[in-house]
Amino acid sequence: MLSFALTIFTGAFLLFQVQPLIGKYILPWFGGSPNVWTTCMLFFQTLLLGGYAYAHFSTTRLKPKTQALLHLILLVVALALMPITPSESWKAHLDGNPTVRVLLLLSATVGLPYLVLSATGPLLQSWFGQVRPGVSPYRLYALSNVGSLLALLSFPVYFEPHFTRQTMALQWTVGLAIFASACAWCALQVYRKSAGPAAAAATPVGEAGLAVPLPEPAVALSDKLLWIFLPMVASILLVATTNKLTQEVAVIPFLWVLPLALYLMSFIVCFDHERWYERVPYFGMTMLAVGVVAELLIAGVNAPIIQQVAGYGGALFLACMLCHGELFRLRPGPRHLTAYYLYISAGGALGSFFVAIVAPAVFKDYREIQIGWWLVVIAMVILAVRGRSTGAMLAAALATLSLAVIVPWLRSTQIHGLSFADELATYLGDFWITGVFLALVLVGLFFDLGARRFRWRWTMIMGGYLGVIALGVGTVLLWQMSNWDRAQAIRSSRNFYGVLKIYDYNPEKEVDHYKLLVNGITTHGLQFMAPNQQLWHTTYYGASSGVGRAIDLLPADRPRRLGFVGLGAGTLASFGRAGDQLKFYDINPAVVALSNDGEFTYLKRTPAKVEIALGDARLMMEREIAAAAGSKDAPKFDLLALDAFSSDAIPVHLLTREAFKIYLGLMDNNGVIAVHISNRYLNLRPVVEGLAREFGLGVVTISDDSPKDWWVYRSTWLLVSHNQTLLTNPKLLEGATEPDDDDAPPLVWTDDHASVFEILK
């Protein structure tokens, strides 16, 4: 058994080590969007389905010797395709949805190796069943998930900080060679077992020369549907939760790994032994999780990062334990093992497909996490009624009832600032229907206890009542949450790069009428609509902000050339003067469309000449430098402002040593790089200061903490330049501030290493 255990463990480790590694390679090439990882998840789960389908076909259609030979041939071909380092020829100008290009890149780079590794779990478990008949192979599935979990946790903690991407790719190739050798040893054992005289004498043989398994009961259609439905729900929540965390913090391997690790941990626990999952407590805890998730989504950025990570992560783990615990209860005998895993992988792929492809096409906002939790509640009702689990539904109902106390307490302490009594009255007013359902439950319980002869009939009735409670309250919670601000938004759009909303305030007034652009939950622009107010400096770009002061101190005796990474509503165009040249870089075509369709008029009203470059700023600048190579007359920026952060998520690839080298190649010798570092969760100052020191640049911190106008937000900018005259100008220094954490050591991020752990607030 040891050889099979080590082989399965190694294959699972390699399978999940390659996911963050390849994601780290291609993330900068496609704009650093959270949806890059979502697309990767779709690819990985689809290939997992392909691997399980191959394992199922192999074990049901081919002789054991043929299975072993075919798998070894595929492993040799996969080794011949090494290394997995993607070619830079895949980098391209992005002018639309790059989902297909990401999928093609992954297919060409890791397609076959990943497919072969995906088949390892079910295939080797089937081989193990032939070598060791009568021994349950399901604990090997738990072991494979241990390998997967270790791979995920070790990547951000050990491999990423200590090794470059190229070194990790080489290590992965060596690991694949070791795995192929171990797999060959297992195949040899299968060959010997199938060719041995004892096996031939003891096992009846069918027409194709395959061993005829002992009779097993047929699997019900309802069980097969649940084999798909339960992992689909868990997969939706996995990808949706990952999206939520990466949208608001950073698109980094750690925040990819954490939800996936919790997802795998639930598999490990549930498939190790049935004693680890009990329906009653998990039903109750999962209903509490529904309320916690609803309140976190309503709280938004008011909830600290620790609460968000712990709340969303804990809720995801409970939901996955419920889904995978019930899935383990529905496991079939060894004869149906590969089919069972095939159905599970199909459900996982469907969940990823829904989040990555269907949801962006159908919804104009993020609704996946709400839908995922709604499906969890539906699954609880189905499972409890199907299993006649009165206790489970009672636990869910009691947990739902307890939300009437927990939710108002959370709101009173963190969100609205109202008293507990006021919040309790509001909550009960919103969910008065709960009382009606609870009355029906009590009636059902009375009849259930008093009519023993009809126990199951009344149990079903009571279970139905309790199910309606859980389903009704869960649906109301999630529906209320998903419609929290829809009434105010006049436009909403969604694509690969996120959700954009426009809010229209005071349209009936001439003076106070303004529109607000929001990306995720963070403001990306505000403009007043009155003609004499349309070029006012607003939000993070006030005249007293770091970027505003820097632009004001640029030479006034000639036209200026200003570059802006991140368009938003185009607010920075309000600083343009006649003769100036402004160039905006933005990867999101929806943002460019909004800036040109009349909703915001900064670009039309500015007297400067405006150019928009659609695509990832770093890649576009690389091409500009290559095109201008050897030309002494190539235009240079007097100022380059970096403000391309969607919500509080930061595209790490824009703040690395390699990125700054590109920026400096486009800058005038006395030019200024202005970096917007306002962030709720991350302290980017040490990173920018480290890069400034790396390139011998001066740096000044400008924090506009007390703007006099409400439409100008507090902001912090770092100004980086060789121009010491500008950096020491009294007009600039009057806004300069000493950081609270002035003793924090500077950091230098590179494309190979960037750790967000070091800059958490």
Side-chain angles (χ1 to χ4, degrees):
M1 182 174 181
L2 181 61
S3 59
F4 283 90
L6 291 176
T7 305
I8 288 176
F9 178 88
T10 304
F13 186 91
L14 293 172
L15 191 69
F16 279 81
Q17 182 84 174
V18 76
Q19 295 185 17
L21 174 58
I22 199 69
K24 188 175 177 67
Y25 263 107
I26 69 173
L27 185 68
W29 299 356
F30 297 94
S33 166
N35 276 333
V36 174
W37 180 246
T38 301
T39 306
C40 288
M41 286 295 294
L42 170 63
F43 172 82
F44 295 138
Q45 293 202 308
T46 302
L47 260 288
L48 187 69
L49 173 62
Y52 281 18
Y54 154 65
H56 178 66
F57 169 81
S58 179
T59 55
T60 56
R61 302 294 182 183
L62 303 177
K63 298 179 181 180
K65 291 187 290 185
T66 309
Q67 297 172 28
L69 181 61
L70 174 61
H71 199 62
L72 291 177
I73 290 174
L74 290 176
L75 279 170
V76 171
V77 175
L79 283 169
L81 297 175
M82 294 294 102
I84 58 171
T85 307
S87 169
E88 294 205 359
S89 63
W90 286 99
K91 291 197 293 187
H93 173 68
L94 303 177
D95 56 1
N97 189 333
T99 298
V100 174
R101 190 168 184 84
V102 173
L103 294 175
L104 289 174
L105 184 158
L106 293 171
S107 299
T109 306
V110 297
L112 181 60
Y114 197 90
L115 179 71
V116 177
L117 285 170
S118 297
T120 297
L123 185 61
L124 265 70
Q125 286 180 61
S126 177
W127 289 359
F128 175 78
Q130 297 177 42
V131 175
R132 297 285 300 276
V135 180
S136 173
Y138 283 103
R139 297 193 76 176
L140 289 175
Y141 187 64
L143 179 65
S144 73
N145 283 291
V146 171
S148 302
L149 179 62
L150 182 61
L152 288 173
L153 296 179
S154 64
F155 185 87
V157 174
Y158 177 72
F159 286 96
E160 188 182 23
H162 292 92
F163 303 103
T164 65
R165 295 176 301 179
Q166 290 81 4
T167 301
M168 286 189 284
L170 178 61
Q171 291 171 340
W172 196 87
T173 301
V174 173
L176 184 64
I178 294 172
F179 166 79
S181 302
C183 200
W185 173 249
C186 293
L188 180 61
Q189 294 182 63
V190 174
Y191 178 86
R192 289 174 175 173
K193 185 71 175 180
S194 63
T203 306
V205 176
E207 294 179 1
L210 300 177
V212 177
L214 296 175
E216 290 182 8
V219 179
L221 176 61
S222 59
D223 285 357
K224 292 181 179 179
L225 292 176
L226 286 172
W227 289 354
I228 295 175
F229 178 69
L230 292 172
M232 181 190 74
V233 174
S235 177
I236 289 174
L237 284 179
L238 165 65
V239 184
T241 301
T242 307
N243 269 352
K244 180 63 182 176
L245 292 175
T246 53
Q247 287 160 15
E248 300 307 329
V249 184
V251 191
I252 54 171
F254 168 68
L255 290 177
W256 302 339
V257 163
L258 179 62
L260 190 53
L262 293 170
Y263 173 86
L264 288 173
M265 195 179 299
S266 68
F267 264 121
I268 294 169
V269 173
C270 293
F271 277 74
D272 177 69
H273 196 280
E274 60 186 2
R275 64 175 172 267
W276 302 122
Y277 172 76
E278 291 290 341
R279 182 176 285 169
V280 172
Y282 274 100
F283 269 47
M285 290 187 292
T286 303
M287 277 308 301
L288 289 176
V290 172
V292 170
V293 169
E295 289 305 304
L296 282 174
L297 287 172
I298 291 174
V301 295
N302 292 322
I305 182 174
I306 298 300
Q307 288 187 15
Q308 291 199 48
V309 172
Y312 288 123
L316 172 66
F317 179 73
L318 289 172
C320 289
M321 279 294 296
L322 189 148
C323 291
H324 297 152
E326 295 290 342
L327 197 60
F328 184 67
R329 284 187 168 190
L330 295 168
R331 66 192 183 282
R335 176 188 174 190
H336 302 285
L337 183 143
T338 55
Y340 174 62
Y341 289 137
L342 181 60
Y343 279 97
I344 290 175
S345 62
L350 284 174
S352 291
F353 182 80
F354 172 77
V355 177
I357 304 297
V358 176
V362 173
F363 304 120
K364 293 185 177 181
D365 201 350
Y366 290 109
R367 294 286 179 257
E368 301 91 293
I369 198 166
Q370 293 95 320
I371 291 173
W373 279 101
W374 184 68
L375 290 174
V376 168
V377 177
I378 290 177
M380 291 167 62
V381 175
I382 293 172
L383 292 166
V385 173
R386 185 175 184 266
R388 298 174 176 176
S389 302
T390 305
M393 290 313 300
L394 183 59
L398 292 176
T400 303
L401 185 61
S402 69
L403 291 175
V405 176
I406 296 173
V407 172
W409 176 75
L410 286 173
R411 291 182 179 180
S412 65
T413 56
Q414 297 180 9
I415 302 174
H416 298 155
L418 300 177
S419 68
F420 172 76
D422 291 337
E423 292 289 2
L424 180 61
T426 301
Y427 183 87
L428 293 178
D430 288 343
F431 305 115
W432 58 268
I433 197 169
T434 303
V436 176
F437 284 129
L438 281 175
L440 295 175
V441 170
L442 294 175
V443 173
L445 182 61
F446 173 79
F447 281 107
D448 181 52
L449 296 175
R452 299 292 182 179
R453 292 178 59 188
F454 306 101
R455 177 176 178 80
W456 288 121
R457 185 182 65 170
W458 290 109
T459 298
M460 293 293 287
I461 292 175
M462 188 178 70
Y465 286 149
L466 293 169
V468 172
I469 290 175
L471 182 59
V473 174
T475 301
V476 171
L477 270 172
L478 298 173
W479 179 257
Q480 183 195 48
M481 169 188 52
S482 66
N483 288 275
W484 188 253
D485 62 355
R486 181 182 292 180
Q488 297 181 11
I490 60 171
R491 284 188 60 177
S492 180
S493 67
R494 177 178 179 179
N495 61 11
F496 186 85
Y497 303 103
V499 172
L500 294 172
K501 293 181 181 179
I502 298 177
Y503 297 88
D504 195 14
Y505 292 93
N506 306 319
E508 72 284 354
K509 298 181 180 180
E510 181 178 355
V511 176
D512 294 328
H513 180 203
Y514 67 94
K515 293 180 180 178
L516 194 71
L517 176 64
V518 175
N519 188 322
I521 56 175
T522 299
T523 298
H524 273 222
L526 181 156
Q527 185 179 30
F528 288 95
M529 294 294 103
N532 63 330
Q533 298 177 313
Q534 289 188 12
L535 287 179
W536 282 12
H537 310 312
T538 63
T539 62
Y540 311 102
Y541 320 108
S544 57
S545 67
V547 68
R549 292 174 186 270
I551 292 175
D552 183 58
L553 292 175
L554 293 176
D557 57 347
R558 59 177 175 82
R560 305 167 300 180
R561 190 165 187 266
L562 311 177
F564 305 117
V565 179
L567 174 59
T571 311
L572 283 167
S574 62
F575 288 98
R577 300 186 307 213
D580 287 350
Q581 292 183 322
L582 313 182
K583 187 165 187 177
F584 288 90
Y585 298 88
D586 205 290
I587 197 171
N588 191 345
V591 173
V592 176
L594 287 175
S595 67
N596 288 315
D597 67 357
E599 294 289 357
F600 297 96
T601 61
Y602 282 114
L603 301 187
K604 296 178 180 177
R605 299 276 297 183
T606 181
K609 180 181 178 181
V610 176
E611 178 185 357
I612 297 178
L614 180 61
D616 179 73
R618 179 171 162 177
L619 298 182
M620 300 293 288
M621 291 181 187
E622 279 184 330
R623 291 183 175 87
E624 290 174 21
I625 291 175
S631 173
K632 296 181 179 180
D633 299 325
K636 301 288 187 177
F637 288 122
D638 296 297
L639 178 138
L640 180 65
L642 303 180
D643 186 39
F645 307 150
S646 300
S647 293
D648 279 314
I650 58 170
V652 172
H653 72 289
L654 296 180
L655 291 176
T656 64
R657 178 197 295 144
E658 294 83 352
F660 255 65
K661 184 177 181 180
I662 295 170
Y663 305 150
L664 292 173
L666 292 172
M667 297 297 299
D668 182 82
N669 290 334
N670 289 318
V672 181
I673 299 176
V675 186
H676 188 193
I677 65 167
S678 303
N679 197 285
R680 299 178 183 91
Y681 308 126
L682 306 176
N683 177 20
L684 295 170
R685 185 191 60 77
V687 177
V688 180
E689 288 189 348
L691 292 168
R693 178 180 296 183
E694 182 81 3
F695 291 98
L697 302 166
V699 60
V700 173
T701 303
I702 306 293
S703 291
D704 191 12
D705 292 328
S706 303
K708 61 180 181 179
D709 299 311
W710 67 263
W711 55 85
V712 177
Y713 299 170
R714 290 184 299 173
S715 65
T716 301
W717 291 78
L718 290 184
L719 305 181
V720 181
S721 178
H722 288 295
N723 189 347
Q724 291 298 320
T725 301
L726 185 147
L727 295 181
T728 57
N729 189 299
K731 291 183 179 180
L732 184 68
L733 293 179
E734 68 183 14
T737 58
E738 288 295 328
D740 295 335
D741 59 342
D742 193 43
D743 58 341
L747 304 170
V748 178
W749 281 357
T750 68
D751 288 347
D752 283 325
H753 169 67
S755 175
V756 173
F757 282 114
E758 301 169 309
I759 62 170
L760 284 173
K761 288 184 177 179

